[in-house]
Amino acid sequence: MPTPETDGELLPRELVDETLTAALRTGGELAEIFVEDKRSSSAMLDDGRIEELVSGRSRGAGIRVVAGDTTGFAHTADLSRSGLAAAAAAAAAAARSGADGRRAVEVGPAAGAAAPTVRVPPEAVPKAAKVELLTAADAAARSEGAAIVQVAARYGDSRRRILVANSDGLLAADDQVRTLFSVSCVASGDTGLQTGRETAGRTVGFELFDACDVSDMARRAARRALTKLKARPAPSGTMPVVVGPGGGGVLFHEACGHGLEADLVAKSASVFAGRIGDQVAAPLVTLIDDGTMAGEWGHYAIDDEGRPAARNVLIADGVLTDYMWDRIRADKQGRASSGNGRRQSYQYLPMVRMTNTFIGAGADDPADIVAGTSKGVYVAHLGGGQVNTATGDFVFGMTEAYLIENGEITEPIREGNLIGNGPEVLTGIDALGTDFAMGSPGTCGKDGQGVPVGDGTPTLRVAALTVGGTAA
Amino acid sequence: MSESLLEVARRVAGWAADGEEVEAFAVRARETDVRAYQGEVESLTVAESQGIGVRVVRDRRQGFAYAGTLEVAALEEALRESRDNARFATADEHAGLAAPDGVAPAALDLHRPELEDFPVEAKVELALELERATRSADPRITGVESAEYSDTVYTSAVASTAGVEATSSETGCYLSSYSLASDGDETQTGFGYSVAREPAGLDAARAAADSAERATRLLGAAKPPTARLTVVLDPLVTAQLLAIVGSALTGEAVLKGRSLFADRMGESVAVPAFTLIDDATEPAAFTASAIDDEGLATRPVELISGGVLRAFLYDSYNARRAGAVSTGSAVRPGYAGTPTAGAQALRLRPGSRSQADITAGLDDGLLVQGVTGMHSGVNPVSGDFSTGAEGLRIRGGELAEPVREVTIASTLQRLLTDVVEVGGDLEWLPMSAAGVSLAIADVTMSGA
């Protein structure tokens, strides 16, 4: 049986003070310790069998020292007094300011604990109950027909407890629980193999499954794969693209989200650098990044620098109002962090990251948006994407898409990427539906680090995007 | 060091109860990472990490657990959890650990003490030099988004009740430069790198020059009209394509019906010039290793020979299921995951001509120097292939105007049979596939 979880503090206060003091021994403006204790468990069904259950724990501390423009960083899995002292010394040496900045650090009282958002802690749920979800999903997917030749289902949960303290006296903690479920199906037909996938994930406990029926998910994934067996090659060239509710979040994440991260802006590696106050999008676009949305996949109480999550309006009625900030970039500008400093684990330095990025509902009837499009593509379900923030060119994948012909959704098309340029696409958004929805939970990759992010949009239309198919 | 990694793994395997198979896979990595920005050290990371993954098989059921430390209490908890997890798996007649197969590991010199002895100050200097060299390579270089030196000393050990005992240690380092070139309002980006087992093998000047050239030559890029043409993939792009092809050539993908190669053994799947080998015993490969992640000897596997599908990659479990033997191709996503079959060091058998000679023979084509969205627009099950691309048009045998914001699309099946030529410019990269220039006909370039 799992070891009962202890809810005690991750590190005694005096050890926090001692480590921060040691980290500043050779000077520096800021010392920070980030302690993390993460437990994960997962169960995987594939090929009709419960293949494996995996559980694990990783625990450690990352220590950084900022001196001038240089950050020294060291991490250790050894949370003993000597282990932390060694890491503090390594971080201090790496920052190598050479000054004698000896000063004692005493952190303040811990910031108020987050309101509990977890009703059913996954660690309290029997493993057999998790396994049952998998077998239910398998059966439901296969009930869609013999053409469904393969089903994989995965359950995963994690509990990530963090403590952040720094030489300003900050001490803050958070307890982040996430639960995820995914189903992938393979369908086989005359045209070869096709795949369909569905994912659900929230920053909640096992109560995820009160609202999310894994059998329904499995059937949707299976039907997606079956539909694509009839798909024809996607068109190639530039045309109007309508993205269904929820899906457009990935588009904004890539088209401008990354470009609004202050670290990239500061290096002039973003097409949005120097454009605060400019009309960068169609007036119907208001883009918000909001880490406070309880339960959403990109939610947290504090970021990985100890700053409370916030609701940040990035684009208001098409006008660029602000970037997203972490501590280092905010300090340079003499402003506060926007609560977007995140890291994959204690083994990484934090940087500016998105949380839940979305565009609220518009005024158009979604049916009218399609009806008003004479020829184009309707993207019902998206894969991931990628952007070059310096040029603004970005791609995103369509994993379920259809042709729009004479205002009607007609034949399914095969998978592929769409490509566009962020600033052009933002100004080219000409319809926004009333049907806002959050999209699938995602893992955003940047500079080798993955963090959970959410996004959402209503149905929307981009006047011109390039569809990367092979058909004329 | 008080206890070697192999001793740790052996100790855990030794805790096996009656009727139980136990395997421990332990790793330790020491890393240094230096990033330079505007003549200063932006960040310097020095770190050591370690961890262990414990696999238990009992009554033909497999369980797994891991810990991000080698402290005794964590090892004991991982074994306990792994044992408990095994109870919930479906019994599988093929479940089990790898058994020694008598194949001796290749004698490879992959651990260079020179890297361990290389002082941090010298690493910092390499990163600063890379940034300086990139910045000064061309007046149109207006910024260096990142200039990075990174190295790893990686040691792994496997011990099991099935009698496997193996350990391996490798050093590796690389430089990477990501530059920004500007002309008026326009900005383009370029990437350059250099990889080696020890710092003396790194070439900062070349990484900087490549980075600057790739960025500056894209200045003025426009979106071209849609066309169907021959593409020449830069080595880095070819390597990304090979990694996807390799993922469809694993025993697991084939057995589970998730591979476009599933029923094609012995058939012609590519042009005769296409010979694809996975060979972790090639010491020049960045990902070379004498043992796989189950502790068996790695060995060269010719997957596609002269265009004919000849082999799949197997770890021990998938080999048993297929009635085959392990090809020494067990890979794990670090200590926190179970082994499965995977490519470790792919390469194409190189041809003879340089990229310049290949493009000189093309009347109308596209040199693809970078792709985006390989993860979102390529499906190794269906074979659909569509990625964002940037590069230079080839006209009358010459490199011509730059293009951007296009996609290139085909299917994986067709790409392999549409290969026109494999270049002679084999290049080792910081990834599990080597690069080489690759010309492919009849690809759709989707643009305006």
Side-chain angles (χ1 to χ4, degrees):
Chain A
M1 284 302 292
T3 317
E5 193 58 65
T6 53
D7 286 312
E9 54 185 2
L10 287 174
L11 205 64
R13 282 276 292 279
E14 65 272 15
L15 210 43
V16 170
D17 289 345
E18 219 176 285
T19 305
L20 291 172
T21 302
L24 286 176
R25 193 165 298 138
T26 58
E29 294 86 63
L30 177 75
E32 175 195 74
I33 178 168
F34 173 84
V35 188
E36 178 183 52
D37 185 354
K38 184 173 179 180
R39 286 180 179 277
S40 310
S41 90
S42 67
M44 178 84 190
L45 174 147
D46 196 2
D47 209 15
R49 286 190 294 267
I50 303 298
E51 274 197 337
E52 64 186 21
L53 273 68
V54 173
S55 40
R57 180 182 195 182
S58 68
R59 195 166 63 109
I63 295 168
R64 69 171 162 159
V65 176
V66 180
D69 287 331
T70 300
T71 297
F73 182 66
H75 60 78
T76 179
D78 181 355
L79 296 183
S80 69
R81 174 167 270 113
S82 61
L84 290 168
R96 72 189 177 110
S97 83
D100 183 8
R102 199 176 294 265
R103 61 179 161 124
V105 177
E106 204 174 317
V107 295
T117 54
V118 176
R119 281 196 291 112
V120 187
E123 66 225 45
V125 176
K127 290 176 180 176
K130 300 173 182 176
V131 166
E132 274 171 30
L133 294 172
L134 300 174
T135 48
D138 185 54
R142 290 179 191 274
S143 73
E144 289 295 311
I148 297 297
V149 292
Q150 195 54 278
V151 180
R154 184 178 181 278
Y155 164 90
D157 63 54
S158 66
R159 179 177 181 193
R160 178 187 193 238
R161 297 172 65 216
I162 60 169
L163 176 153
V164 195
N166 67 31
S167 53
D168 297 342
L170 170 100
L171 177 65
D174 198 7
D175 192 340
Q176 301 162 356
V177 174
R178 290 190 168 86
T179 303
L180 184 73
F181 195 87
S182 66
V183 192
S184 304
C185 300
V186 180
S188 176
D190 298 341
T191 54
L193 304 175
Q194 283 294 344
T195 58
R197 182 178 165 86
E198 273 285 309
T199 310
R202 289 175 61 77
T203 304
V204 299
F206 203 72
E207 68 269 24
L208 171 70
F209 302 104
D210 294 348
C212 153
D213 182 326
V214 296
S215 297
D216 285 350
M217 274 177 69
R219 282 189 286 267
R220 282 198 303 274
R223 286 196 290 261
R224 178 164 294 139
L226 292 169
T227 298
K228 281 154 66 179
L229 287 176
K230 300 184 286 277
R232 50 189 259 189
S236 53
T238 300
M239 60 198 72
V241 173
V242 178
V243 184
V250 176
L251 186 152
F252 283 96
H253 181 103
E254 305 298 348
C256 63
H258 281 294
L260 300 180
E261 294 166 345
D263 47 355
L264 297 168
V265 170
K267 292 184 169 181
S268 296
S270 167
V271 281
F272 295 100
R275 300 208 54 198
I276 296 287
D278 290 358
Q279 185 85 37
V280 297
L284 44 74
V285 173
T286 291
L287 180 72
I288 295 167
D289 182 82
D290 187 354
T292 70
M293 297 169 84
E296 293 305 334
W297 190 239
H299 165 69
Y300 45 76
I302 57 165
D303 72 3
D304 299 331
E305 300 181 299
R307 180 95 191 162
R311 181 177 192 273
N312 297 298
V313 178
L314 305 172
I315 296 173
D317 302 326
V319 175
L320 182 58
T321 51
D322 200 359
Y323 303 118
M324 289 169 279
W325 302 83
D326 65 0
R327 168 75 195 251
I328 299 262
R329 296 295 163 193
D331 275 2
K332 281 194 201 306
Q333 295 296 313
R335 55 163 291 157
S337 159
S338 58
N340 290 92
R342 305 181 67 184
R343 48 183 132 202
Q344 177 173 311
S345 78
Y346 75 89
Q347 300 187 338
Y348 297 86
L349 277 167
M351 59 181 158
V352 186
R353 305 305 296 267
M354 284 175 260
T355 62
N356 303 295
T357 313
F358 67 94
I359 301 252
D364 299 311
D365 182 334
D368 291 346
I369 297 177
V370 173
T373 307
S374 62
K375 180 176 181 292
V377 163
Y378 180 83
V379 185
H381 197 253
L382 285 86
Q386 192 179 344
V387 62
N388 180 334
T389 55
T391 63
D393 289 351
F394 71 99
V395 296
F396 66 92
M398 44 179 183
T399 53
E400 181 185 352
Y402 302 83
L403 289 177
I404 300 176
E405 293 167 303
N406 302 316
E408 281 182 37
I409 292 173
T410 59
E411 291 180 77
I413 55 176
R414 295 183 65 135
E415 273 178 59
N417 267 314
L418 290 91
I419 193 162
N421 181 267
E424 289 166 23
V425 166
L426 291 187
T427 51
I429 291 169
D430 62 6
L432 212 52
T434 51
D435 53 346
F436 175 83
M438 289 299 284
S440 299
T443 298
C444 169
K446 177 178 173 184
D447 210 3
Q449 295 193 47
V451 297
V453 294
D455 53 50
T457 55
T459 295
L460 61 89
R461 183 173 59 206
V462 182
L465 265 173
T466 300
V467 181
T470 55
Chain B
M1 219 159 285
S2 51
E3 188 179 30
S4 81
L5 218 46
L6 186 58
E7 283 163 354
V8 173
R10 203 184 275 149
R11 185 142 64 109
V12 174
W15 291 336
D18 282 348
E20 180 177 85
E21 291 180 80
V22 175
E23 172 203 67
F25 173 77
V27 303
R28 181 178 283 136
R30 262 204 313 286
E31 291 160 316
T32 308
D33 182 87
V34 192
R35 292 172 186 223
Y37 185 64
Q38 294 187 334
E40 301 281 339
V41 176
E42 182 181 30
S43 69
L44 168 56
T45 300
V46 283
E48 177 164 324
S49 55
Q50 51 204 7
I52 191 161
V54 181
R55 190 152 60 129
V56 171
V57 181
R58 188 181 188 106
D59 302 332
R60 303 277 158 210
R61 298 167 202 267
Q62 173 173 305
F64 185 77
Y66 64 89
T69 165
L70 301 180
E71 287 166 25
V72 173
L75 302 179
E76 288 171 349
E77 186 187 344
L79 176 59
R80 219 166 35 236
E81 270 293 303
S82 183
R83 196 174 268 158
D84 188 58
N85 285 340
R87 297 192 299 124
F88 297 91
T90 308
D92 180 345
E93 57 174 319
H94 304 295
L97 305 177
D101 61 1
V103 179
L108 302 176
D109 171 26
L110 305 174
H111 180 102
R112 303 290 163 77
E114 292 86 344
L115 187 137
E116 301 210 58
D117 297 339
F118 198 65
V120 172
E121 294 72 25
K123 298 174 184 178
V124 166
E125 187 42 49
L126 267 174
L128 292 170
E129 182 192 331
L130 175 67
E131 206 241 357
R132 256 192 324 265
T134 306
R135 197 175 279 278
S136 59
D138 189 295
R140 293 167 295 171
I141 296 296
T142 51
V144 181
E145 189 182 331
S146 81
E148 181 178 1
Y149 166 91
S150 188
D151 69 31
T152 311
V153 182
Y154 175 85
T155 307
S156 65
V158 195
S160 78
T161 51
V164 167
E165 287 211 352
T167 185
S168 162
S169 185
E170 296 103 37
T171 56
C173 53
Y174 67 85
L175 292 170
S176 67
S177 160
Y178 195 64
S179 64
L180 303 170
S182 296
D183 187 8
D185 281 347
E186 184 196 0
T187 299
Q188 295 292 344
T189 60
F191 180 61
Y193 49 84
S194 175
V195 301
R197 295 239 165 258
E198 57 186 291
L202 293 175
D203 188 343
R206 190 193 151 196
D210 285 353
S211 173
E213 191 200 347
R214 286 198 171 99
T216 51
R217 72 181 182 183
L218 286 182
L219 285 170
K223 187 185 182 86
T226 297
R228 196 171 272 227
L229 37 63
T230 298
V231 297
V232 177
L233 306 183
D234 236 4
L236 183 62
V237 176
T238 302
Q240 290 170 267
L241 171 64
L242 294 183
I244 290 169
V245 172
S247 74
L249 288 167
T250 66
E252 178 173 9
V254 170
L255 286 165
K256 290 180 172 171
R258 283 199 189 92
S259 170
L260 54 99
F261 297 111
D263 303 315
R264 309 287 313 272
M265 187 59 82
E267 293 179 23
S268 171
V269 296
V271 296
F274 197 93
T275 293
L276 180 66
I277 303 151
D278 187 45
D279 183 8
T281 71
E282 166 55 61
F286 191 70
T287 48
S289 174
I291 58 167
D292 76 355
D293 285 346
E294 288 185 310
L296 299 186
T298 56
R299 55 211 81 174
V301 184
E302 203 154 288
L303 298 161
I304 298 174
S305 251
V308 177
L309 181 59
R310 290 292 182 206
F312 296 123
L313 298 168
Y314 288 109
D315 61 323
S316 62
Y317 167 77
N318 285 296
R320 271 193 298 275
R321 242 188 109 176
V325 293
S326 171
T327 53
S329 304
V331 297
R332 307 186 190 231
Y335 61 80
T338 49
T340 184
Q344 297 169 95
L346 288 167
R347 67 172 194 269
L348 280 179
R349 178 162 295 159
S352 57
R353 299 204 299 164
S354 68
Q355 188 184 87
D357 287 344
I358 295 172
T359 54
L362 290 175
D363 192 47
D364 183 32
L366 174 71
L367 172 66
V368 181
Q369 84 168 34
V371 288
T372 53
M374 275 281 200
H375 64 297
S376 58
V378 181
N379 186 327
V381 179
S382 66
D384 287 331
F385 180 94
S386 164
T387 81
E390 61 187 15
L392 302 165
R393 282 302 298 268
I394 300 164
R395 294 186 190 279
E398 302 280 333
L399 293 182
E401 78 278 8
V403 302
R404 51 167 276 264
E405 206 193 325
V406 298
T407 59
I408 51 171
S410 180
T411 62
L412 289 169
Q413 293 91 328
R414 278 183 30 214
L415 287 174
L416 300 189
T417 53
D418 286 340
V419 165
V420 180
E421 184 170 353
V422 181
D425 50 350
L426 194 70
E427 204 172 289
W428 303 103
L429 301 164
M431 57 186 287
S432 64
V436 68
S437 293
L438 188 66
I440 305 175
D442 211 22
V443 171
T444 302
M445 175 181 74
S446 192

